[in-house]
Structure formats: structure tokens, C-alpha cells
């Protein structure tokens, strides 16, 4: 066997995957497991989008596209951002990526040197920790605390900033807490980024999944922010297209030119017919998205109420994404122990909060991207399991 690289050895398997694999194994053995661990919508991709992909293939769109993406998709994304997000982008300011996963990787690779620092939330989607580490860049975490409604604490952010800090990552609506950062927080973040001359990477993948009249605001739309912001977004969550692998970065041309240099040596381009389907998603699938959003909201409302009625646990009402971050501190067990217990005793798969960083300890993450009926069943099982745990 060949030796592995030190760089690779430092990359752990994700805690989410570990739970998912255990849950899948149990299911294969015939156990009735309810999957609330996965951050993957349970809906089929809207028919209009699938049809666009079939038609594209039939038309013979099977070749490489420009590294940047097709002109049609770049134009459609620029138009969407201008209209929906209030930031005027030209097609040249868009790079089509293989999901936000690639956008994250390219942003770190293209703009940070070894030893430099990037401010990232804690808890967080762990790519924002491990991708910087892969490039010997230091992820410096700032806390999202329940007692602060998971809003970013500007004093803490300020205290974590050094002369090496070059980038700030924000994610709203956020994984794993489901929090939408308020306009007031975003305005403070904008002032902070300008004061310290930081690049802002804004992961807005859950932007359309907001509930109860809450509005998503892109930080790039605030005065003086487009110039320093890389907005990452994609089709995985809002259009239920996780397997299609399509996303984009929007930023001034100088940023795009940096990102594309990384992208060209990893992916060349996103799939041709997937890009054609992406155009149709943006232009025609909004009614389908709204149906999904309504259903997520119904599930969220049910689950949050049911969880808060259970003994010994509690949760805030998340305003976005499809996650509930449940406080299990009073149970006197670690989040990994509680997640294991729920899987063994209730056959409900969740993710320990510790899988998202140190601030996640004391919490478990539930995803309500599974059917309403399964959520009702999961809540009943969890209620019993927690009762037994307390007894
Ligand atoms: N960003 C966040 C915050 C996420 O939670 C996820 C998926 N769990 C991604 C990005 C990945 O997105 P994509 O499928 O577009 O790579």
C-alpha cells in the first residue's frame, strides 16, 4: 500500500455521515428507522426542471461548457440576484459551480494563504472548518449562542479578529440552528467587514426556506458590500436538487477570475444539461418552491411544539432552513450519547450537536426534511424515549 498524505489524514469523516451510516445499517437489518439526520429534502425535483434536463439531453447538450458556466445560466442567475436579492450583477460576475460545496472550497483556495485566518460560525456546516485546515488556513470560530437567539455577537467577533484575519464566513439561514441573522446584525457585520477590510463569504443556500413572513437579506445588498462579498448559493436545498450538483458564486469580476482558476483544475464546468435545467429552475419553478416551503413550515410548527412539550428538552422556533436545534442539556448526557440513545431506543436518527463544533455540545439537530407523518411518529417515539430516560 502507498502512504497517505498528511493533508488527507487530517480530514475527519463527518459526524453526520457516521450517524447516517449507522441508521442505514439498522434499516437494512429490518428496523423501522426515521431519518431526521439528513439535510436532504425529501421531495422529488419539480417536474418542470426534470423535463428541462431531458430536453437538453435530447437536443444534444452533452459537451463541456465554458469554465464559467453557460451564458444562459449566468444571465439567469444575474437576473435573479438583481431582482430577488437587490444586488445588480452582470453575467460576468457569476461562476457556475458544482454546488456550494465547491464554492466554499474555491473561495478558501483562491483567497487565503497558509497562516491567515478566517472567521467562521460555531456551530457550523463543517466544511468551513476543514476546508481552511486543508489549506493550512486557520478557522477561528465565533459562537452562535441560544441565549443570544443564535445571532452573531459583535463583541466576540471583534475580540477574535487579528492582523491575520482576512475573511468572514456567514451562513443565514443557518445550518444547524435554522437561524436567520437579523437585518440589524447584518448591518453591524457589514460595518465590521469594512472596518477590518475583510472578504465576506455569504452562504445563502437556504435563502428561500424562511417562514412566518421572515425575509432573507443578502449582505451584498447593503451599501459598500458587493465589492467585498462572495455570495454562494445553489439549487440543492430550495429546488430539491441535491444530486444534481449545481451552485454558483456571485462576486465582482476580480473574485470570479480567482475562483475560476481553482474551478478549472478541479471540475472544468458543471454538467451541461444540468445547467440548462438550472435556467428553468430559476425562471419557472418558484410555484413548486413555495409549495415545499409551505409544507416545511407545517412540519416545523408541529415538531417544535411537540419537542417543547417533552420533558427535559427545549428548542427555539427556527426561522429558516429545515433544522431544529434541540437543547438537551438538562438530560446530563453528551449530545453523542443522546443521539445514540434516540437511535437505539426510538429508532429516530438525529445528529449530535458536537458534530458541528464545540458550541453544538448540549444540542441535537433534527432535520424536518422528512414527511409530516414520519415526523408525527418520530415525536411520539421520542416522547416515550425521553420519559424512560428520566425514569
Ligand atoms: N452550505 C450549507 C450551509 C449546507 O448546509 C450545505 C449542505 N448540507 C451545503 C452548503 C452544501 O450545498 P451543495 O449541495 O450546494 O454543495
Amino acid at each position: 500500500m502507498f502512504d497517505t498524505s498528511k493533508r488527507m489524514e487530517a480530514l475527519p469523516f463527518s459526524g453526520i455521515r457516521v450517524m447516517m451510516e449507522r441508521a442505514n445499517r439498522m434499516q437494512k437489518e429490518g428496523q423501522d428507522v426515521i431519518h431526521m439526520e439528513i439535510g436532504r429534502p425529501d421531495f422529488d425535483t419539480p417536474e418542470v426542471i426534470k423535463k428541462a434536463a431531458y430536453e437538453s439531453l435530447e437536443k444534444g447538450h452533452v459537451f463541456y461548457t465554458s469554465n464559467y458556466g453557460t451564458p444562459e445560466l449566468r444571465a439567469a442567475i444575474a437576473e435573479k440576484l438583481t431582482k430577488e436579492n437587490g444586488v445588480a450583477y452582470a453575467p460576468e460576475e457569476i461562476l457556475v459551480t458544482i454546488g456550494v460545496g465547491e464554492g466554499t472550497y474555491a473561495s478558501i483556495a483562491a483567497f487565503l494563504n497558509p497562516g491567515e485566518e478566517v472567521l467562521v460560525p460555531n456551530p457550523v456546516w463543517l466544511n468551513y472548518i476543514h476546508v481552511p485546515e486543508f489549506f493550512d488556513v486557520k478557522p477561528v470560530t465565533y459562537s452562535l449562542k441560544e441565549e443570544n437567539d443564535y445571532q452573531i455577537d459583535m463583541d466576540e467577533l471583534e475580540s477574535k479578529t487579528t492582523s491575520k484575519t482576512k475573511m468572514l464566513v456567514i451562513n443565514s439561514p443557518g445550518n444547524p440552528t435554522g437561524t436567520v441573522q437579523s437585518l440589524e446584525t447584518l448591518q453591524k457585520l457589514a460595518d465590521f467587514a469594512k472596518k477590518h477590510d475583510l472578504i465576506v463569504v455569504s452562504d445563502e443556500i437556504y435563502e428561500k426556506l424562511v417562514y412566518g413572513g421572515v425575509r432573507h437579506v443578502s449582505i451584498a445588498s447593503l451599501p459598500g458590500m458587493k465589492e467585498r462579498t462572495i455570495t454562494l448559493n445553489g439549487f440543492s436545498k430550495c429546488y430539491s436538487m441535491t444530486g444534481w450538483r449545481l451552485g454558483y458564486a456571485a462576486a465582482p469580476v476580480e473574485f470570479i477570475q480567482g475562483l475560476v482558476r481553482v474551478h478549472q483544475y478541479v471540475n472544468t464546468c458543471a454538467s451541461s444539461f444540468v445547467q440548462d435545467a438550472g435556467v428553468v429552475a430559476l425562471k419557472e419553478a418558484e410555484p413548486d418552491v413555495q409549495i415545499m416551503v409551505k409544507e416545511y413550515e407545517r412540519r416545523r410548527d408541529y415538531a417544535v411544539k411537540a419537542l417543547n412539550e417533552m420533558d427535559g428538552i427545549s428548542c427555539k422556533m427556527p426561522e429558516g432552513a429545515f433544522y431544529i436545534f434541540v437543547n438537551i442539556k438538562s438530560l446530563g448526557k453528551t449530545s453523542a450519547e443522546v443521539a445514540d440513545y434516540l437511535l437505539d431506543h426510538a429508532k429516530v436518527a438525529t445528529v449530535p450537536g458536537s458534530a458541528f463544533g464545540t458550541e453544538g455540545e448540549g444540542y441535537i439537530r433534527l432535520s424536518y426534511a422528512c414527511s409530516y407523518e414520519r415526523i408525527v411518529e418520530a415525536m411520539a417515539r421520542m416522547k416515550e424515549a425521553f420519559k424512560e430516560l428520566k425514569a
Side-chain angles (χ1 to χ4, degrees):
M1 273 305 282
F2 297 103
D3 284 344
T4 50
S5 76
K6 294 276 170 292
R7 217 174 254 279
M8 182 280 284
E9 280 168 16
L11 290 177
F13 280 106
S14 110
I16 305 175
R17 243 184 102 125
V18 172
M19 277 312 274
M20 213 158 106
E21 280 165 11
R22 257 199 77 202
N24 287 342
R25 257 199 318 277
M26 286 170 62
Q27 201 167 7
K28 262 200 187 136
E29 289 162 8
Q31 306 195 51
D32 177 27
V33 176
I34 302 177
H35 290 277
M36 297 194 79
E37 82 281 28
I38 21 180
R40 170 178 76 70
D42 56 314
F43 300 101
D44 194 2
T45 301
E47 195 53 39
V48 67
I49 303 174
K50 287 173 38 170
K51 204 162 144 251
Y54 305 142
E55 283 173 7
S56 173
L57 282 167
E58 273 165 12
K59 280 189 214 145
H61 291 183
V62 294
F63 303 112
Y64 293 133
T65 73
S66 153
N67 290 143
Y68 295 92
T70 64
E72 293 78 14
L73 182 55
R74 295 176 83 198
I77 293 167
E79 190 186 322
K80 177 257 180 231
L81 289 164
T82 307
K83 264 199 207 147
E84 289 183 7
N85 304 72
V87 205
Y89 285 101
E92 300 73 49
E93 295 175 304
I94 307 298
L95 172 68
V96 177
T97 61
I98 311 287
V100 172
E102 192 216 337
T104 301
Y105 184 92
S107 300
I108 307 286
F111 296 104
L112 296 176
N113 287 303
E116 289 180 335
E117 295 176 5
V118 51
L119 291 162
V120 300
N122 179 8
V124 72
W125 181 56
L126 279 186
N127 292 43
Y128 289 113
I129 303 284
H130 298 306
V131 175
E133 283 174 350
F134 191 68
F135 290 105
D136 295 323
V137 171
K138 188 171 168 197
V140 176
T141 62
Y142 62 84
S143 325
L144 301 177
K145 286 192 186 293
E146 184 181 5
E147 55 267 32
N148 201 19
D149 285 333
Y150 302 110
Q151 294 292 307
I152 298 170
D153 175 346
M154 296 310 299
D155 292 336
E156 189 200 355
L157 205 56
E158 198 66 63
S159 76
K160 296 274 176 85
T161 306
T162 74
S163 59
K164 293 186 184 149
T165 312
K166 192 165 169 200
M167 184 181 278
L168 165 70
V169 171
I170 61 171
N171 171 217
S172 175
N175 178 9
T177 64
T179 302
V180 176
Q181 295 298 323
S182 68
L183 180 60
E184 194 192 341
T185 303
L186 291 177
Q187 280 162 339
K188 286 182 190 159
L189 287 169
D191 291 342
F192 168 81
K194 284 185 263 186
K195 176 177 157 200
H196 293 286
D197 198 21
L198 303 178
I199 299 171
V200 175
V201 168
S202 180
D203 179 335
E204 302 183 10
I205 192 161
Y206 296 101
E207 71 160 341
K208 287 176 186 283
L209 308 185
V210 286
Y211 315 110
V214 168
R215 214 168 66 84
H216 164 77
V217 175
S218 291
I219 195 165
S221 69
L222 302 182
M225 286 307 289
K226 182 188 165 187
E227 293 86 321
R228 59 177 66 253
T229 303
I230 303 173
T231 300
L232 301 180
N233 207 334
F235 296 75
S236 285
K237 313 287 181 176
C238 299
Y239 297 96
S240 193
M241 291 174 69
T242 49
W244 297 64
R245 312 305 307 127
L246 190 64
Y248 55 88
V253 170
E254 304 75 56
F255 283 110
I256 296 297
Q257 294 298 26
L259 297 172
V260 78
R261 285 166 75 172
V262 177
H263 167 83
Q264 66 179 338
Y265 289 118
V266 186
N267 295 309
T268 307
C269 62
S271 304
S272 50
F273 49 92
V274 167
Q275 293 191 58
D276 285 349
V279 174
V280 172
L282 292 174
K283 290 188 186 291
E284 297 180 33
E286 193 57 29
D288 297 287
V289 173
Q290 287 317 312
I291 290 169
M292 293 191 264
V293 170
K294 239 181 156 175
E295 175 59 13
Y296 286 134
E297 186 162 1
R298 185 168 86 102
R299 297 172 185 180
R300 174 198 73 154
D301 290 351
Y302 177 82
V304 167
K305 185 164 179 288
L307 287 161
N308 279 319
E309 283 168 5
M310 290 179 206
D311 275 351
I313 64 164
S314 66
C315 62
K316 294 253 175 195
M317 178 65 87
E319 295 170 322
F322 38 57
Y323 305 114
I324 304 171
F325 214 44
V326 183
N327 186 326
I328 46 105
K329 287 177 186 173
S330 83
L331 299 178
K333 294 190 178 305
T334 67
S335 59
E337 285 166 348
V338 173
D340 278 342
Y341 175 81
L342 284 175
L343 186 55
D344 291 336
H345 293 260
K347 312 274 180 274
V348 176
T350 61
V351 184
S354 56
F356 303 97
T358 50
E359 289 291 340
E361 188 47 86
Y363 297 84
I364 54 169
R365 188 194 77 174
L366 265 67
S367 157
Y368 48 94
C370 74
S371 78
Y372 190 87
E373 293 67 33
R374 294 297 272 168
I375 292 170
V376 171
E377 171 69 19
M379 293 303 117
R381 291 191 199 173
M382 282 174 66
K383 187 175 178 181
E384 283 310 303
F386 283 132
K387 245 192 225 157
E388 281 171 30
L389 189 66
K390 285 237 143 183

